[in-house]
Amino acid sequence: MVENGETNTPAHVAMIMDGNGRWAEKQGKARKFGHQEGMEAVRRVTIRASERGIKVLTLYAFSTENWKRPPQEVHFLMQLPIRFFDRFVPELQEKNVRVNMIGFEEKVPSSTRKAIQKAMDQTKDNDGMILNFAFNYGSRAEIVRATQSLCERALNGEINISEINEEMIEQHLMTESITPFQDVDLLIRSSGEQRLSNFLLWQNAYSEFYFSDLLWPDFDGDILDEALSCYTNRQRRYGAV
């Protein structure tokens, strides 16, 4: 957490963008229209987060469980990063925002991977806020992979099991790429649901939660400001008195 004037600004804000499909259904439209509007919400929230001095904004864009959705919807979701970066990278450049991604790339279509990598390359020299997309991400799988990597190092004699600690585990998590802001300060979830949905389980150990009944396409900078205002009125004790 960093100081920003007279208020405390969370360094790392994570958001579960929930409710795109329900938003579209309420409008009498196909679910894909909700995802399109959700993309506009990403833009609005990203710009405001950057203006508020947030260091990292992590967005849960596609989970490892989302493959269970209808094939047509999954295909559309795989195209969204291509459309998003094609439209908004110039604005991200203007705002000095750097794009990053965490997740399992292997299953993601090559065209989607290329679009994300291109955006990362285009913004790699920016030193403002990190826009961190969790794409094909699942926290349990992330922790399993980190555990396997540490076991392999121990079997190869690189480390002793007794040396494994929290810091070493964090070095093997996907969020190592956003060090020193791996820990989430504020988690925001839209649509009225109140669960983590396998999102950054380790990194959310001491985060503050903010749940909104608004569906994700209705999110904007003002809603983010409400969440930030709520955050500033909380006391984070980390287990202390």
Side-chain angles (χ1 to χ4, degrees):
M1 186 171 62
V2 296
E3 296 295 326
N4 182 14
E6 297 181 355
T7 63
N8 294 327
T9 301
H12 185 177
V13 175
M15 305 187 80
I16 300 176
M17 306 179 292
D18 197 12
N20 289 336
R22 278 171 283 169
W23 183 91
E25 290 166 358
K26 287 178 64 176
Q27 314 297 319
K29 298 180 179 180
R31 290 174 60 87
K32 69 178 183 179
F33 289 101
H35 295 306
Q36 287 177 336
E37 290 299 317
M39 188 171 66
E40 297 296 327
V42 168
R43 174 192 167 274
R44 294 192 296 267
V45 170
T46 297
I47 298 305
R48 184 64 62 87
S50 176
E51 293 172 349
R52 291 294 180 260
I54 291 167
K55 301 299 184 184
V56 178
L57 177 65
T58 298
L59 303 178
Y60 205 7
F62 191 89
S63 77
T64 50
E65 289 75 35
N66 285 155
W67 295 103
K68 301 174 185 177
R69 296 187 176 189
Q72 301 92 333
E73 183 172 353
V74 170
H75 176 75
F76 187 83
L77 290 171
M78 288 296 125
Q79 300 304 306
L80 279 183
I82 301 173
R83 301 181 186 187
F84 178 84
F85 291 125
D86 184 58
R87 292 179 58 185
F88 297 133
V89 162
E91 193 167 9
L92 296 177
Q93 289 279 48
E94 180 183 341
K95 296 294 183 179
N96 195 31
V97 172
R98 177 165 69 87
V99 175
N100 191 61
M101 174 190 163
I102 59 173
F104 296 89
E105 299 181 9
E106 298 83 5
K107 197 174 179 179
V108 178
S110 60
S111 58
T112 306
R113 294 200 307 269
K114 289 178 182 177
I116 296 172
Q117 186 61 54
K118 180 180 178 182
M120 292 172 61
D121 291 340
Q122 289 174 316
T123 61
K124 63 183 176 61
D125 295 325
N126 295 344
D127 58 4
M129 188 185 80
I130 298 172
L131 177 58
N132 186 41
F133 284 95
F135 200 84
N136 194 29
Y137 171 85
S139 188
R140 286 185 172 183
E142 174 192 33
I143 294 171
V144 167
R145 193 181 75 166
T147 304
Q148 291 172 336
S149 179
L150 286 168
C151 287
E152 184 176 3
R153 291 185 63 191
L155 288 172
N156 290 337
E158 299 176 29
I159 58 174
N160 293 319
I161 293 177
S162 60
E163 295 176 330
I164 298 175
N165 54 23
E166 290 186 13
E167 182 180 1
M168 192 174 292
I169 292 173
E170 288 174 352
Q171 290 171 355
H172 288 76
L173 295 176
M174 293 177 177
T175 46
E176 193 276 334
S177 62
I178 57 172
T179 302
F181 304 113
Q182 287 183 270
D183 286 346
V184 177
D185 296 302
L186 173 64
L187 172 77
I188 301 172
R189 180 165 188 156
S190 60
S191 85
E193 304 292 349
Q194 299 185 16
R195 55 180 178 269
L196 284 175
S197 296
N198 197 22
F199 183 46
L200 298 174
L201 301 178
W202 177 285
Q203 298 86 344
N204 272 306
Y206 278 101
S207 63
E208 296 293 324
F209 291 174
Y210 181 89
F211 300 110
S212 171
D213 290 331
L214 286 178
L215 301 176
W216 176 250
D218 292 324
F219 258 62
D220 58 19
D222 291 339
I223 303 302
L224 175 62
D225 282 344
E226 287 182 17
L228 296 178
S229 177
C230 180
Y231 175 89
T232 62
N233 293 320
R234 299 185 186 180
Q235 292 184 346
R236 305 180 71 195
R237 298 186 180 89
Y238 299 98
V241 177

